[in-house]
């Protein structure tokens, strides 16, 4: 049977692998496609790892990812600012002038605003299977998982996409590690980018060799048949000598078996092989998941960094405010005009004035000044306009805006409208991420507990952090109790942070009330109940006294 070959196709909404049979290719196409053999064997995949590296490493998309990280960390274009003499085309760099580099980090502000708005409070998990829900909350979705998702979303906004790599550690625990988007080159199987075909992870590690250190670049090629490890040498990427062959995604220890035969040598049974103590002998076996162990979280459908939409505003804002500072520092309120001093050394003259605060004037000479007061009003209006546009195009909430509307729920919703729209799209991306994540969690549960939860429906609710009219919100919830169940209303309540914890507290309270009713008591929630309980106790005491007298 002929092997399948493939080529990169950039016409389907991103790099993808298109499979072509050898019999359908011309000799020319075969020669061009030798590099892209997706069977992950021999030299062809080795060449693929080298070819993709240069294209990916120098791509505009990766450059934008790295810029998103830099701008978030307050490293922006203003840091490269240089001042020149005011001498037209012959100007040269002047290090004596003020060179202010003022930052206004819209990127950091908007990124943190989006993340804390959507995940500032823990998300809630809901499913009809209570046993399954208990396993998810107690074994997988703990505070560390919440922190992982929180940071993953933050990085996804910076870069446009971020990844989780799924693996088993040495103790056999299912683990997840966060991988930056600028290290991962995915190959998608569909236009919508919902299914991975192959993936290459390029990463750099600082290696210590004696007293020296050097940075070594590695590459891991993932396919449906496993993973191949590479290391970058002077001649390019070569297979890691310590792991030269394709490996599985994880290792399981399974019992060794042996054949049990009858007297004629026919196999009648396959039984576990035992050691001297009668225990099964285990051997490691490489296993491969049905899916690539990589889960993407995207900021948007385009997988594009937030920086793409706000970079011009941040650059111009920082450039303008830095120029204002330079003008105020460099140019005083007035410029000195010297008449009859044309041949004098200007530098020496200004130094004398600064030293003695006086100037000698000849008969034909004169000293005057020109007012150069700087009107900052126009610049302030422009800065205000740029800031507003940055928050609008960045889909955030401008807390400096005077037009916040009324303080009712409608006014506050209007203030948060852009952020809400962006959060709706982020919720869809998070739901897709959790759907991928649950597949690996369900696999782990099935592997360890032999329980199948793959078909169970799970809903994630996000408790957005926003300024609300709490009394108005509580009134709305109370008025809806006859129409909606508590499972829907509780996540909306402003005092509820952990829905599961509140549900458990409510259930415990109901059980306590039932226990109290068994003994003729009512909950101590009003004076009437207290009086009834006191009367009941008094009657019981009187009856006991009468029985004693008899």
């Amino acid at each position: 049977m002929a092997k399948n070959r493939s080529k990169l196709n950039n016409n389907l909404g991103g790099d993808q692998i298109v499979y072509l049979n050898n019999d359908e290719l011309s000799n020319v196409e075969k020669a061009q496609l030798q590099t892209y053999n997706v069977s992950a064997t021999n030299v062809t995949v080795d060449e693929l790892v080298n070819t993709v590296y240069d294209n990916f490493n120098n791509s505009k998309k990766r450059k934008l990812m790295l810029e998103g990280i830099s701008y978030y960390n307050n490293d922006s274009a203003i840091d490269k600012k240089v001042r020149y003499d005011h001498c037209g085309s012959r100007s040269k760099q002047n290090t004596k002038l003020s060179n202010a580099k003022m930052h206004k980090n819209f990127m950091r502000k908007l990124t943190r605003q989006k993340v804390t708005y959507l995940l500032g409070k823990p998300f809630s998990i809901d499913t009809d299977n209570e046993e399954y829900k208990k396993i998810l909350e107690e074994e997988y979705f703990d505070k560390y998982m919440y922190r992982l998702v929180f940071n993953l979303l933050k990085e996804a906004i910076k870069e446009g996409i971020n990844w989780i790599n799924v693996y088993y550690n040495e103790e056999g625990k299912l683990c997840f590690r966060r991988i930056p988007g600028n290290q991962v080159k995915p190959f998608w199987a569909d236009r919508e980018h919902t299914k991975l075909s192959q993936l290459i992870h390029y990463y750099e590690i600082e290696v210590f060799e004696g007293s020296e250190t050097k940075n070594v670049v590695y590459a891991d090629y993932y396919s449906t048949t496993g993973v191949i490890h590479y290391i970058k040498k002077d001649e390019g990427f070569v297979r890691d000598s310590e792991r030269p062959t394709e490996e599985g995604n994880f290792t399981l220890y399974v019992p060794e078996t042996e054949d049990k035969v009858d007297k004629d040598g026919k196999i009648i049974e396959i039984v576990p092989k035992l050691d001297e103590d009668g225990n099964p002998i285990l051997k490691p076996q490489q296993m491969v998941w049905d899916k690539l162990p990589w889960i993407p979280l995207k900021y948007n459908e385009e997988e594009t960094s937030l920086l793409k939409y706000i970079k011009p505003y941040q650059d111009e804002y920082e450039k303008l405010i830095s120029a204002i500072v330079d003008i105020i520092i460099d140019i005083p309120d007035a410029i000195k005009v010297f008449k009859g001093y044309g041949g004098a050394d200007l530098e020496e003259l200004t130094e004398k004035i600064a030293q003695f605060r006086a100037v000698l004037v000849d008969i034909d000479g004169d000293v005057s000044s020109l007012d150069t007061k700087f009107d900052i009003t126009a610049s302030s209006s422009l800065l205000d306009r740029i800031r507003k546009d940055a928050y609008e195009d960045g889909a955030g909430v401008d807390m400096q805006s005077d037009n916040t509307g009324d303080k009712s729920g409608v006014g506050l919703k209007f203030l948060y409208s852009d952020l809400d729209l962006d959060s709706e799209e982020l919720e869809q991306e998070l739901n897709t991420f959790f759907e991928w994540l649950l597949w690996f969690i369900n696999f782990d549960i099935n592997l360890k507990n032999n329980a199948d939860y793959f078909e169970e429906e799970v809903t994630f609710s996000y408790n957005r952090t926003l300024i609300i009219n709490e009394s108005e919100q509580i009134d709305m919830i109370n008025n809806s109790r006859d129409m909606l169940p508590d499972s829907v209303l509780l996540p909306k309540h402003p005092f509820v942070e952990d829905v599961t914890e509140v549900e458990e507290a409510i259930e415990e309270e109901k059980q306590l009330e039932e226990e109290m009713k068994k003994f003729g008591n009512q909950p101590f929630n009003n004076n009437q109940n207290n009086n009834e309980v006191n009367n009941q106790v008094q009657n019981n005491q009187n009856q006991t006294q009468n029985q004693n007298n008899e």
Side-chain angles (χ1 to χ4, degrees):
M1 181 178 178
K3 291 183 179 180
N4 284 338
R5 296 196 182 277
S6 66
K7 67 178 180 180
L8 290 177
N9 183 353
N10 293 314
N11 298 320
L12 298 175
D15 291 336
Q16 303 170 24
I17 298 293
V18 177
Y19 297 92
L20 303 172
N21 191 281
N22 282 352
D23 299 334
E24 301 172 356
L25 303 178
S26 66
N27 291 330
V28 176
E29 289 174 321
K30 287 181 181 178
Q32 293 174 343
L33 298 177
Q34 288 295 323
T35 301
Y36 304 112
N37 184 341
V38 298
S39 63
T41 58
N42 301 327
V43 68
T44 49
V45 170
D46 300 347
E47 293 175 358
L48 171 66
V49 172
N50 280 282
T51 303
V52 170
Y53 176 73
D54 290 332
N55 294 334
F56 173 66
N57 208 40
N58 301 316
S59 65
K60 292 182 179 179
K61 186 172 184 178
R62 184 171 183 270
K63 179 182 177 183
L64 181 61
M65 290 179 173
L66 296 174
E67 278 188 332
I69 297 172
S70 296
Y71 270 66
Y72 183 88
N73 293 330
N74 222 35
D75 299 323
S76 59
I78 196 64
D79 294 324
K80 300 177 182 179
K81 175 171 168 272
V82 177
R83 294 293 306 279
Y84 294 91
D85 290 330
H86 302 287
C87 299
S89 61
R90 292 180 296 174
S91 62
K92 57 183 179 180
Q93 184 175 347
N94 190 334
T95 57
K96 294 183 178 180
L97 292 173
S98 168
N99 190 22
K101 300 174 182 179
M102 309 301 294
H103 289 87
K104 182 66 174 179
N105 204 332
F106 293 127
M107 181 65 182
R108 180 179 177 86
K109 180 69 178 288
L110 284 166
T111 299
R112 297 177 67 191
Q113 191 177 89
K114 294 174 187 296
V115 177
T116 54
Y117 179 67
L118 194 57
L119 294 179
K121 297 179 182 178
F123 48 80
S124 306
I125 303 173
D126 189 34
T127 179
D128 293 335
N129 191 317
E130 291 298 326
E131 183 64 27
Y132 181 39
K133 181 180 180 181
K134 183 178 180 181
I135 293 174
L136 290 178
E137 292 181 337
E138 293 183 358
E139 299 184 23
Y140 296 95
F141 288 94
D142 52 13
K143 60 182 180 180
Y144 300 104
M145 174 61 78
Y146 167 72
R147 183 182 178 186
L148 177 68
V149 176
F150 184 93
N151 290 327
L152 187 72
L153 179 60
K154 181 174 66 176
E155 298 302 318
I157 295 173
K158 294 182 198 176
E159 299 188 65
I161 186 172
N162 239 240
W163 297 82
I164 277 184
N165 177 221
V166 187
Y167 69 101
Y168 280 102
N169 65 10
E170 296 177 352
E171 288 77 31
K173 180 182 178 181
L174 185 69
C175 297
F176 311 93
R177 57 181 157 219
R178 182 166 51 84
I179 305 295
N182 63 80
Q183 295 182 0
V184 179
K185 176 59 181 175
F187 295 94
W188 301 96
D190 60 342
R191 183 189 298 271
E192 289 75 23
H193 292 193
T194 61
K195 183 179 180 182
L196 283 170
S197 178
Q198 289 95 23
L199 181 146
I200 305 177
H201 177 207
Y202 297 103
Y203 54 101
E204 190 173 286
I205 295 179
E206 186 178 19
V207 178
F208 291 86
E209 294 183 351
S211 59
E212 298 181 354
T213 61
K214 65 177 183 178
N215 293 328
V216 180
V217 180
Y218 294 85
D220 297 333
Y221 171 85
Y222 287 82
S223 68
T224 54
T225 57
V227 56
I228 305 176
H229 304 281
Y230 294 86
I231 184 171
K232 194 172 187 295
K233 302 289 187 179
D234 292 338
E235 64 273 20
F237 284 97
V238 297
R239 298 204 181 194
D240 192 336
S241 58
E242 297 181 1
R243 299 175 293 177
T245 59
E246 187 175 40
E247 298 179 349
N249 300 134
F250 61 98
T251 302
L252 279 181
Y253 286 87
V254 297
E256 290 190 28
T257 59
E258 57 184 353
D259 298 333
K260 190 175 183 180
V261 298
D262 58 14
K263 61 182 180 179
D264 298 324
K266 295 181 178 180
I267 300 175
I268 58 175
E269 188 179 4
I270 299 176
V271 297
K273 185 181 293 186
L274 306 179
D275 59 17
E276 297 177 353
D277 299 325
N279 299 316
I281 299 175
L282 302 179
K283 64 176 181 179
Q285 181 172 322
Q286 293 285 314
M287 305 294 291
V288 178
W289 274 303
D290 293 336
K291 298 177 181 286
L292 266 63
W294 289 84
I295 306 173
L297 177 57
K298 307 173 185 178
Y299 169 48
N300 47 37
E301 183 184 7
E302 298 78 19
E303 302 166 15
T304 303
S305 168
L306 169 65
L307 184 67
K308 183 177 179 64
Y309 310 104
I310 65 169
K311 184 178 185 295
Y313 301 112
Q314 182 164 335
D315 286 346
E316 293 305 318
Y317 193 103
E318 293 178 344
K319 188 187 299 182
L320 180 58
I321 196 171
S322 298
I324 292 173
V325 173
D326 288 338
I327 290 172
I328 294 174
I329 293 175
D330 287 337
I331 303 178
D333 290 341
I335 296 177
K336 297 295 183 182
V337 179
F338 300 95
K339 183 179 178 182
Y341 286 85
D345 187 291
L346 186 60
E347 183 176 355
E348 181 182 355
L349 183 61
T350 53
E351 287 180 357
K352 294 295 183 181
I353 294 174
Q355 182 178 1
F356 299 107
R357 308 297 294 173
V359 59
L360 296 174
V361 180
D362 293 336
I363 297 175
D364 297 329
D366 189 17
V367 177
S368 61
S369 62
L370 294 176
D371 291 335
T372 58
K373 291 184 178 179
F374 176 64
D375 184 7
I376 200 174
T377 305
S379 298
S380 297
S381 298
L382 181 56
L383 287 171
D384 189 55
R385 179 72 264 170
I386 294 174
R387 190 197 72 247
K388 289 179 179 179
D389 288 346
Y391 277 97
E392 183 176 349
D393 283 10
V397 179
D398 183 7
M399 293 301 183
Q400 295 185 34
S401 175
D402 296 330
N403 185 23
T404 57
D406 60 77
K407 299 301 183 288
S408 66
V410 176
L412 291 169
K413 284 183 178 180
F414 178 79
L415 178 65
Y416 279 79
S417 58
D418 285 340
L419 184 56
D420 272 324
L421 285 174
D422 206 44
S423 296
E424 290 293 336
E425 185 174 359
L426 272 174
E427 282 192 12
Q428 293 185 29
E429 298 298 344
L430 276 168
N431 288 336
T432 302
F433 164 79
F434 282 126
E435 184 179 340
W436 287 41
L437 181 66
L438 282 174
W439 188 91
F440 291 97
I441 291 175
N442 291 335
F443 179 93
D444 188 56
I445 296 174
N446 183 261
L447 180 67
K448 296 176 179 177
N449 302 331
N450 197 28
D452 187 354
Y453 295 114
F454 282 97
E455 301 300 323
E456 293 289 342
E457 289 283 341
V458 180
T459 303
F460 291 86
S461 299
Y462 309 98
N463 306 311
R464 298 182 183 181
T465 305
L466 73 161
I467 301 172
I468 62 172
N469 189 319
E470 291 185 348
S471 59
E472 185 176 307
Q473 181 87 351
I474 293 171
D475 288 341
M476 291 172 61
I477 292 174
N478 289 333
N479 294 333
S480 303
R481 296 197 67 179
D482 294 335
M483 297 179 288
L484 298 173
D486 288 346
S487 60
V488 175
L489 296 175
L490 278 176
K492 308 296 182 183
H493 200 288
F495 298 159
V496 174
E497 294 186 0
D498 191 324
V499 175
T500 302
E501 184 178 332
V502 173
E503 288 177 337
E504 292 174 353
I506 292 174
E507 187 61 31
E508 290 177 2
E509 190 174 89
K510 288 180 179 179
Q511 292 178 0
L512 180 60
E513 290 180 2
E514 292 298 324
E515 291 295 326
M516 293 178 67
K517 288 179 182 179
K518 292 179 182 179
F519 295 95
N521 296 326
Q522 296 294 326
F524 297 98
N525 54 6
N526 54 50
N527 292 331
Q528 181 179 356
N529 286 340
N530 290 342
N531 292 335
E532 291 177 357
V533 171
N534 291 334
N535 292 335
Q536 182 71 31
V537 172
Q538 186 64 43
N539 291 335
N540 291 340
Q541 290 178 347
N542 292 338
Q543 292 178 3
T544 303
Q545 184 65 36
N546 292 335
Q547 291 175 356
N548 291 336
N549 293 336
E550 292 176 359

